[in-house]
Amino acid sequence: MQSQLKFNFKYSFLFILSLFFGCQPMAQQRILTHNEVKHHPKLILTQKGVAEIKSKLGNIPLFDTSLEEAKAEVDAEIRLGIEVPVPKDLSGGYTHERHKRNFLMMQKAGVLFQILEDDTYAIYVRDMLMAYAKLYPTLPIHPQERSYARGKLFWQALNDSNWLVYTSQAYDCIYDWLSKEDRDLLEKDLFRPFADYISIGNPQFFNRVHNHSTWGNVAVGMIALVMDDAELLDRALYGIKDDKLTAGMRDNDGGLIKKEGQKVGFYGNLDEPFSPDGYYTEGPYYQRYAMYPFLIFAQALENVKPELKIFEYKDGVLLKAVNALLNLTDADGDFFPINDAQKGMSYFSRELVTCVDIAYYYGGQNPELLDIAQKQNRVSLDDTGLSVAVAIKEEKAKPFVKKSIELRDGQMGDEGAIGILRSDDLELVFKYAAQGLSHGHYDKLSFSLYNAGQEVLQDYGLARYVNIEQKGGGNYLKENTTWAKQTIAHNTLVQNETSHFKGDYETGSQHHSEKYLFNVDDENLQVVSAIEENAYPGTKIQRTMALIKDENFENPFVLDIVKVNSATSNNYDLPFYYLGQLLQTNFKYETPKTLTQLGDSNGYQHLYKEGLGISDGNNTSFNWMLNNTFYTLTSVTSKGDELVLARIGANDPVFNLRREPAFIIRKKDKKDAIFISILETHGSYSPVSEFALNAYGQIKNIAVIHDDEDYTAIEITSKDDKKWWFVMANNNNNNSSNDGQHQLYINDTTVKWEGPFVFKPIN
């Protein structure tokens, strides 16, 4: 306590002096001799960049505001004094959050020292580093034993790597200001042992393909660049040469650590997880997390080792990845929760501010990126951020327009994809991708739907409260495995109450869905279709989704066709996780007095059965309201189909899961089955006027008028008796006039068309 008080007094005194003397260098600054030459900063900030920033201070509003915000934040920390507590907590605990705060503040303080030439910030960084240099050699492995790769400052080596990535930037900023003796001490007692521990000391963490390893590789690479350490840089880029790891090793999530012939290091993590389109196989939540180290290291390499031409690597995949990430967001900028993902993470995160600035600076200065930067309303305090802020001041920004897009998965782009259909305010996200490494979910051919940024049919995301200590130390909850990853937790087909690939990671990692078609040539008729044949051996599932805009409907509507063919009889469940308040159904259902769980395993044990109806063979209509907008799901059902009203939350005594509803269509004892549904978005409700406008859907009837191996035809009838046919070729996705000609005899009518599908009015 006494030493802590000394730190507080010392920094309060220095802070007051800095305010009194303004931003002039203080007497404590070390004077360079005539034989010494400044070489730093050189990683993210550069000497040339610092000079340009100084010349423009006070004239570039967005940069100036970002600088003032950083200064206010760091000044407040300096007033509090330095604390480097002995580590003991998991995520969200005090020591965890304190060390995290320290590395963020050091990085900002280093930047402030360079731009403002105020020694207060250099002294703060130096003394913080000296405190760590004293503490680090005394630390055992972190006492919390949850991770497969425990750190020293943090419970996992991943967070230790976060610390070094940011702290390396701070060290670079004060490197020339420090004495040689101070540098020697820091490198001997802190930085070199730190880099060795997260790499040589944890090869199972460092030498794999995963976002964890990316952080580890970059941490070692960043400090290597500051210290001009060729050995460490080689280790960062290419991995540990002989890691003595056994092929087939797993982490505590079941994720694969090593496979034969796997390329490792920074280049290995660039090669395998990214597709040629820039999609990262773990999904956008972890792509966002990994993009910061990927891009910050690329920027450092471009400044220090330009001969590597890192931004040209793999056809510029890092720059493509930023564009992919931005397209994986809804209208509010939130990332679609594909695989493990916490909802609400968005392009307003600090990682994406950095990514957008770097992509603009090194990616041809795309003016659409300035639109995102304006929304973020802050920039990085470096060369890239200055360029963005200057361009915004010069009014060069153009709207970033998110259109329908397919983002391929897999290193070669041949392992399925994520297809996004956009029409007016609707965004449909269809997943037919690879497993997604250890953060992947077992949900082939699942989808979610958004209206103006609002989830309508949701993907649950992860079961975790990140950095909230009360919930499992802020880490993954057991329900992430028992619920969130299971197939029934998603809007996709489940066979015999068993998850895809039986929920086995190794099996799931061997397979991916196959794209059948993605066609958005006509903005009024956008169609995506994919096939899954490995989730259940002997069963083929083809799902086709269309986003159709027609003048007879208030808004575009979604047509969903799930076609199942199996060698054996099975029970099939198709859930729809709607958000909002159920208003009305056209079927009768019974609600039990006592809630029971829907099943015993594979996620079913977490669903309450709140209601059960039986189809009479007619269409089923399900109507609800969300945020004063009405939605109607109309589905083709057969006589005897079960209609289940369910709710998440069973077998969850500590309320780790959100209590949200689902509507499940269940077909029993069938080899082949077809599920047809249309989702309409319509009307509005005003709580002020208390008027409900257009509260009912327009669909009167949906009928399957032809279905065989080659073709499926659907007839849609509106309440004013207008009719349309949607016809799909199930085995020929060719668009050419030579091979894509089709003819089908339906209801005494011959239908001819070109291409894999047609949507046409009948009357």
Side-chain angles (χ1 to χ4, degrees):
M1 177 61 72
Q2 185 177 6
S3 61
Q4 182 61 47
L5 287 173
K6 288 180 180 178
F7 269 127
N8 287 342
F9 174 77
K10 176 181 179 181
Y11 280 92
S12 296
F13 178 70
L14 288 174
F15 181 75
I16 292 168
L17 283 178
S18 70
L19 291 177
F20 182 76
F21 287 106
C23 291
Q24 296 304 311
M26 296 174 64
Q28 288 92 339
Q29 182 171 7
R30 187 175 68 85
I31 306 300
L32 295 172
T33 69
H34 291 295
N35 295 325
E36 291 180 296
V37 179
K38 283 189 175 184
H39 297 290
H40 299 259
K42 61 179 182 177
L43 269 64
I44 308 307
L45 274 175
T46 63
Q47 294 177 61
K48 179 182 178 182
V50 169
E52 187 174 0
I53 289 169
K54 289 177 181 178
S55 72
K56 289 183 168 59
L57 284 182
N59 296 304
I60 310 298
L62 185 53
F63 193 92
D64 294 336
T65 299
S66 300
L67 182 65
E68 284 302 314
E69 289 175 353
K71 184 178 185 302
E73 190 176 15
V74 175
D75 287 349
E77 286 293 320
I78 291 176
R79 285 193 293 268
L80 290 173
I82 290 172
E83 184 182 5
V84 288
V86 175
K88 67 181 182 69
D89 298 321
L90 287 166
S91 303
Y94 179 75
T95 62
H96 180 100
E97 294 305 307
R98 183 66 263 169
H99 289 298
K100 179 179 177 180
R101 185 77 175 164
N102 284 349
F103 71 66
L104 291 170
M105 291 303 102
M106 277 194 286
Q107 187 268 338
K108 291 181 180 181
V111 171
L112 291 173
F113 166 66
Q114 283 292 329
I115 295 175
L116 301 179
E117 298 185 70
D118 185 342
D119 279 17
T120 303
Y121 302 110
I123 294 168
Y124 174 73
V125 174
R126 180 197 64 193
D127 289 358
M128 180 86 78
L129 291 178
M130 288 298 177
Y132 275 110
K134 184 177 180 181
L135 174 68
Y136 192 78
T138 70
L139 293 179
I141 298 175
H142 197 281
Q144 297 290 346
E145 299 180 357
R146 180 174 295 188
S147 176
Y148 75 103
R150 289 150 68 190
K152 289 190 173 184
L153 289 179
F154 299 91
W155 69 279
Q156 56 178 348
L158 170 63
N159 299 102
D160 279 37
S161 299
N162 297 165
W163 186 93
L164 190 54
V165 168
Y166 283 88
T167 302
S168 297
Q169 298 172 57
Y171 184 44
D172 180 47
C173 284
I174 70 164
Y175 187 94
D176 287 332
W177 180 89
L178 290 168
S179 68
K180 184 178 185 305
E181 292 75 18
D182 285 347
R183 294 198 298 265
D184 290 345
L185 185 150
L186 289 172
E187 293 177 11
K188 177 177 69 70
D189 291 350
L190 180 59
F191 291 130
R192 184 65 193 233
F194 204 113
D196 285 341
Y197 177 73
I198 61 177
S199 55
I200 301 297
N202 282 277
Q204 78 281 11
F205 161 78
F206 191 81
N207 251 32
R208 65 184 296 202
V209 173
H210 196 277
N211 74 78
H212 287 196
S213 316
T214 298
W215 277 97
N217 303 152
V218 169
V220 172
M222 293 286 280
I223 199 63
L225 291 176
V226 182
M227 301 190 304
D228 290 323
D229 190 315
E231 178 191 354
L232 283 181
L233 182 59
D234 183 80
R235 189 187 304 171
L237 292 174
Y238 305 107
I240 301 166
K241 299 299 185 288
D242 182 15
D243 56 27
K244 297 182 174 57
L245 298 176
T246 304
M249 285 181 64
R250 305 279 171 176
D251 63 19
N252 31 341
D253 290 325
L256 184 66
I257 289 175
K258 183 173 183 177
K259 63 182 179 182
E260 292 294 344
Q262 180 172 281
K263 188 176 180 181
V264 293
F266 184 71
Y267 280 117
N269 277 281
L270 260 180
D271 280 340
E272 188 173 326
F274 284 104
S275 79
D277 296 333
Y279 178 74
Y280 187 72
T281 192
E282 293 186 70
Y285 180 79
Y286 277 97
Q287 180 165 354
R288 172 273 323 171
Y289 181 61
M291 284 308 295
Y292 180 83
F294 272 122
L295 282 172
I296 208 74
F297 190 40
Q299 183 179 353
L301 288 172
E302 189 71 16
N303 285 329
V304 182
K305 299 282 184 181
E307 65 274 12
L308 295 180
K309 298 181 178 179
I310 195 65
F311 283 110
E312 298 176 24
Y313 188 78
K314 198 177 175 181
D315 195 28
V317 71
L318 283 176
L319 299 172
K320 290 180 180 179
V322 177
N323 183 68
L325 256 182
L326 295 175
N327 275 286
L328 285 162
T329 63
D330 64 23
D332 296 328
D334 292 349
F335 295 112
F336 300 127
I338 298 164
N339 295 329
D340 282 346
Q342 176 164 264
K343 293 181 180 181
M345 179 55 72
S346 73
Y347 62 51
F348 295 100
S349 66
R350 64 175 180 270
E351 296 94 342
L352 261 292
V353 171
T354 299
C355 292
V356 167
D357 293 352
I358 291 174
Y360 177 79
Y361 188 80
Y362 292 104
Q365 300 192 343
N366 177 3
E368 292 185 17
L369 291 176
L370 300 176
D371 181 38
I372 303 297
Q374 283 181 314
K375 291 181 173 70
Q376 292 170 331
N377 199 32
R378 64 191 191 277
V379 293
S380 304
L381 299 178
D382 61 18
D383 312 30
T384 67
L386 180 67
S387 70
V388 168
V390 168
I392 288 173
K393 181 185 178 183
E394 294 173 351
E395 300 182 346
K396 293 181 178 179
K398 293 183 179 179
F400 188 98
V401 179
K402 286 182 281 190
K403 300 178 181 179
S404 297
I405 189 171
E406 181 182 49
L407 296 167
R408 293 173 294 168
D409 197 1
Q411 183 175 354
M412 305 304 294
D414 56 359
E415 297 181 27
I418 301 294
I420 304 171
L421 304 183
R422 291 182 165 104
S423 183
D424 293 351
D425 288 333
L426 292 183
E427 296 173 304
L428 186 151
V429 183
F430 186 39
K431 180 186 177 187
Y432 44 106
Q435 178 62 28
L437 302 181
S438 62
H439 286 296
H441 289 191
Y442 303 99
D443 63 330
K444 301 303 182 191
L445 309 187
S446 69
F447 85 104
S448 53
L449 184 72
Y450 296 77
N451 182 12
Q454 169 69 58
E455 284 182 295
V456 177
L457 292 171
Q458 69 153 335
D459 186 308
Y460 187 88
L462 53 71
R464 177 185 182 185
Y465 296 79
V466 180
N467 287 337
I468 297 178
E469 189 177 23
Q470 301 94 310
K471 288 292 189 182
N475 300 298
Y476 281 98
L477 301 164
K478 64 181 179 64
E479 289 83 5
N480 199 60
T481 299
T482 61
W483 166 252
K485 286 191 174 188
Q486 300 297 328
T487 304
I488 189 57
H490 304 83
N491 303 309
T492 190
L493 190 87
V494 186
Q495 178 174 298
N496 299 328
E497 297 189 14
T498 303
S499 289
H500 297 172
F501 313 109
K502 295 183 178 180
D504 180 69
Y505 170 77
E506 186 169 356
T507 305
S509 296
Q510 296 171 8
H511 303 289
H512 57 84
S513 302
E514 295 289 349
K515 167 188 172 179
Y516 181 67
L517 64 87
F518 181 85
N519 189 313
V520 295
D521 294 342
D522 182 352
E523 64 178 14
N524 296 321
L525 178 60
Q526 303 180 60
V527 182
V528 58
S529 182
I531 297 170
E532 177 55 53
E533 297 187 85
N534 297 296
Y536 301 111
T539 298
K540 175 184 176 181
I541 309 168
Q542 180 168 1
R543 189 170 207 167
T544 300
M545 306 201 76
L547 193 53
I548 301 172
K549 187 175 182 178
D550 186 278
E551 63 182 8
N552 292 281
F553 290 83
E554 180 184 358
N555 295 301
F557 64 88
V558 176
L559 172 62
D560 179 25
I561 305 172
V562 181
K563 187 175 170 64
V564 192
N565 302 102
S566 183
T568 59
S569 292
N570 304 286
N571 296 335
Y572 301 114
D573 289 340
L574 184 63
F576 295 91
Y577 285 90
Y578 70 97
L579 294 176
Q581 178 61 49
L582 172 60
L583 298 178
Q584 186 182 63
T585 72
N586 72 340
F587 58 90
K588 295 180 180 179
Y589 54 85
E590 294 183 357
T591 56
K593 293 182 178 179
T594 302
L595 294 178
T596 58
Q597 62 195 53
L598 194 58
D600 297 323
S601 59
N602 302 314
Y604 281 80
Q605 74 276 21
H606 288 303
L607 284 172
Y608 284 120
K609 184 164 64 175
E610 292 189 329
L612 178 64
I614 304 296
S615 171
D616 61 4
N618 294 312
N619 281 187
T620 292
S621 177
F622 190 89
N623 176 238
W624 76 96
M625 183 173 70
L626 173 65
N627 282 359
N628 299 321
T629 299
F630 297 100
Y631 299 91
T632 300
L633 182 74
T634 305
S635 302
V636 175
T637 50
S638 302
K639 190 170 185 178
D641 286 354
E642 292 186 0
L643 308 170
V644 182
L645 304 180
R647 189 169 299 272
I648 305 165
N651 286 302
D652 180 28
V654 293
F655 292 84
N656 284 335
L657 297 174
R658 304 188 303 269
R659 268 50 177 169
E660 292 163 341
F663 171 57
I664 303 172
I665 301 173
R666 172 173 282 180
K667 295 179 182 290
K668 289 186 172 181
D669 195 25
K670 296 183 182 296
K671 286 186 177 181
D672 301 337
I674 188 167
F675 295 79
I676 310 290
S677 297
I678 287 179
L679 177 63
E680 298 175 79
T681 302
H682 54 91
S684 63
Y685 177 72
S686 170
V688 176
S689 68
E690 298 182 332
F691 285 155
L693 301 176
N694 196 22
Y696 297 91
Q698 289 182 258
I699 298 296
K700 178 179 180 180
N701 190 64
I702 312 169
V704 180
I705 53 177
H706 183 95
D707 186 47
D708 59 22
E709 182 180 352
D710 295 320
Y711 297 101
T712 298
I714 311 299
E715 182 178 82
I716 302 167
T717 305
S718 66
K719 288 181 178 177
D720 56 2
D721 289 325
K722 292 182 179 178
K723 295 180 183 291
W724 298 262
W725 283 356
F726 180 88
V727 190
M728 179 78 177
N730 297 320
N731 290 310
N732 184 350
N733 58 5
N734 202 305
N735 275 308
S736 72
S737 58
N738 293 327
D739 301 318
Q741 296 285 349
H742 299 277
Q743 179 174 307
L744 187 63
Y745 190 67
I746 306 173
N747 292 350
D748 300 325
T749 301
T750 299
V751 183
K752 296 181 180 180
W753 76 96
E754 183 178 306
F757 57 84
V758 64
F759 178 73
K760 59 180 297 183
I762 302 304
N763 54 5

